[in-house]
Amino acid sequence: MQSSSEKSGISISPSAVIATIATIYFIKKTWHGMPRWLKKHINASDADKENKTEGTDSSENGDFDLSNPSTIFEKAKLMLDLVDQKIDDVMPDHLPNTKILASLLGTVHLYEEMETSIPHHREKFYREVSEGDVSKQDLCGLVQKMEYADWAYDDHRADLKDKLEKMSFDLLRFDQSTEPGRIGHYIAINHVEKVVLIGLKGTSTISDVLTDIMGDGADYYLESPFDENYTSKQIRAHEGILTAALTMADETQKLIEKLFLPCKYRVLITGHSLGAGTACLLGLLLRSRISALRGDCKEYLEVFAFAPPPVLNYDAALACAPFITSVVNNSDIVPRMSLPNLVTLHKLFLKVHHKQEEKGLLASPCALAKDLIKVDDEFIMPYEELSDFYKEIHKNEDVRGEDSLFVPGRVIVLCPIGEEREKGEEKSSKDAVDFFGVIGNGSMEMLKRVEPYLSLFADHLGASYIAHLKAASKDCESTTV
């Protein structure tokens, strides 16, 4: 008896059947692994898109809708192109990548040498360019706030719930769904202390990375000025993070305005990294939208931001001091990742390259990498010359330029207390180091440059923030929520 396929003249081989099944399985797995925001866009019909376009009101604010993948990648590309353009303006075309890498390694080596040979120069510098030291008691209160921020990374609701209950908080909301312009977060309430806690998660998914990359400054017009010291309704902010903050403000405003404030509950917003930047802008937006937070209840909103990227224009960043406390750990690169700082860093690379040529230090990048943590007698340039380099760079800077964004609020920077090391001695990561903190604002000199120490990435980790805050605040006790 002939099969139906043979009767119709169609031949189906077993390999074709297997290939078809494998293809269907692959498509299914790809679909399930696809981010929710991308599925939502694929599922949208053309009619829905047309209706959405027709129903959109024009306003003075730009388009902060990041639901369209083509819009996301276009904005990300524009930002990356802008960075390339600024760096290309600094670096000569003829300089090969191996030379740039060698100058990078030479710069790191220079900083590590100075930390060892002039162990107290950073302490002196940080104190000179700040308003002074922070008290241990103030630092001690920040340890718990950082732990609240770190808890936002928890993937499991039950684990987070247990941690919060130990601090007398009840978990109200746990949302780990992310998409470009939206970040994971939790909301908890402490009925004893009458505190509402909003914890915002930092970068942990590809969607978060896309939010980070959309870092061009975007103008935004507020409903009302957010502080008496900043009468303008216009701010300029990191576009991707502003979008995330707008989403959070839309979701929390009525809850805060209609329920928590009438019941005299304080609102505490905290976050780390991307979550910190979003926390800053969320606090600003809520103060703009809710008049009570600028008046009788202005002390009812506090923001504690750990490792925030530069997200706000100069004047607005300084005006956030009454309600935002930002913390920067040592050489953490993220709070220094502004476009002007990247340009300055590449100018330093170029200066180091010229010094390497003058001194005949044209070793391969591999050879230079081996000596990164070794101390020798040969500085590629003296500390005074490096200081003069930065002074010259910042002499004519425009802090209100369209590319200039700053860490908001009153800013605390943690710094290690210098330790003496013998020549040739390598630094051990196991050695305990004491820390202290200085306070100022986002325009302090140590934040207007990338500090290329070997720890610049490790200093960004939440665990490092907690450890260094504890080291800076040891022997004190905190009773604050």
Side-chain angles (χ1 to χ4, degrees), residues 132-372:
D133 287 18
V134 184
S135 70
K136 282 194 173 186
Q137 194 62 41
D138 285 342
L139 288 170
C140 188
L142 294 173
V143 175
Q144 186 62 64
K145 308 295 192 309
M146 176 59 221
E147 290 181 342
Y148 291 153
D150 200 45
W151 293 352
Y153 288 96
D154 279 352
D155 293 325
H156 302 290
R157 182 187 184 95
D159 292 342
L160 175 61
K161 187 172 180 290
D162 288 343
K163 292 176 181 177
L164 289 167
E165 285 179 350
K166 290 177 182 177
M167 298 300 298
S168 301
F169 279 98
D170 294 322
L171 183 59
L172 298 181
R173 181 175 182 177
F174 177 69
D175 186 350
Q176 292 298 83
S177 61
T178 62
E179 57 189 68
R182 178 184 178 85
I183 65 172
H185 62 277
Y186 70 86
I187 301 176
I189 187 167
N190 183 324
H191 294 290
V192 177
E193 300 289 340
K194 301 192 77 170
V195 174
V196 176
L197 173 62
I198 301 176
L200 302 171
K201 184 168 68 71
T203 303
S204 60
T205 68
I206 186 62
S207 299
D208 296 331
V209 173
L210 291 172
T211 301
D212 289 323
I213 289 176
M214 289 179 285
D216 198 9
D219 291 327
Y220 184 80
Y221 295 86
L222 304 166
E223 295 180 10
S224 301
F226 68 89
D227 190 81
E228 60 186 12
N229 293 318
Y230 190 81
T231 56
S232 173
K233 291 184 180 181
Q234 181 181 356
I235 62 171
R236 188 166 181 82
H238 182 295
E239 185 173 14
I241 296 178
L242 175 59
T243 305
L246 286 167
T247 301
M248 284 299 305
D250 290 342
E251 294 181 1
T252 58
Q253 179 182 347
K254 287 186 178 179
L255 193 63
I256 292 170
E257 186 174 19
K258 304 298 183 183
L259 178 60
F260 296 138
L261 289 183
C263 294
K264 302 299 182 182
Y265 276 75
R266 293 188 297 117
V267 179
L268 173 63
I269 307 173
T270 185
H272 170 260
S273 191
L274 168 61
T278 306
C280 292
L281 297 183
L282 173 59
L284 183 155
L285 291 170
L286 290 174
R287 278 178 63 104
S288 170
R289 295 181 180 189
I290 304 173
S291 59
L293 291 175
R294 304 189 303 275
D296 296 338
C297 297
K298 61 184 177 183
E299 73 278 7
Y300 279 65
L301 173 68
E302 287 185 289
V303 177
F304 292 90
F306 300 89
V311 293
L312 202 55
N313 63 291
Y314 175 76
D315 295 299
L318 268 59
C320 290
F323 62 98
I324 293 178
T325 299
S326 294
V327 181
V328 177
N329 179 32
N330 198 21
S331 62
D332 184 355
I333 189 173
V334 170
R336 297 173 168 91
M337 282 293 285
S338 67
L339 191 52
N341 282 3
L342 289 177
V343 172
T344 298
L345 180 63
H346 281 79
K347 288 181 178 179
L348 179 58
F349 289 164
L350 189 58
K351 184 176 181 65
V352 168
H353 169 69
H354 292 324
K355 289 290 183 179
Q356 288 173 327
E357 285 189 326
E358 289 174 11
K359 294 177 179 288
L361 302 174
L362 299 177
S364 69
C366 291
L368 288 169
K370 292 179 181 178
D371 294 330
L372 275 182

Side-chain angles (χ1 to χ4, degrees), residues 16 38 48 177 188 195 279 284 422 434 463 481:
L38 194 54
D48 289 338
S177 61
V195 174
L284 183 155
E422 297 295 329
D434 288 329
V481 172

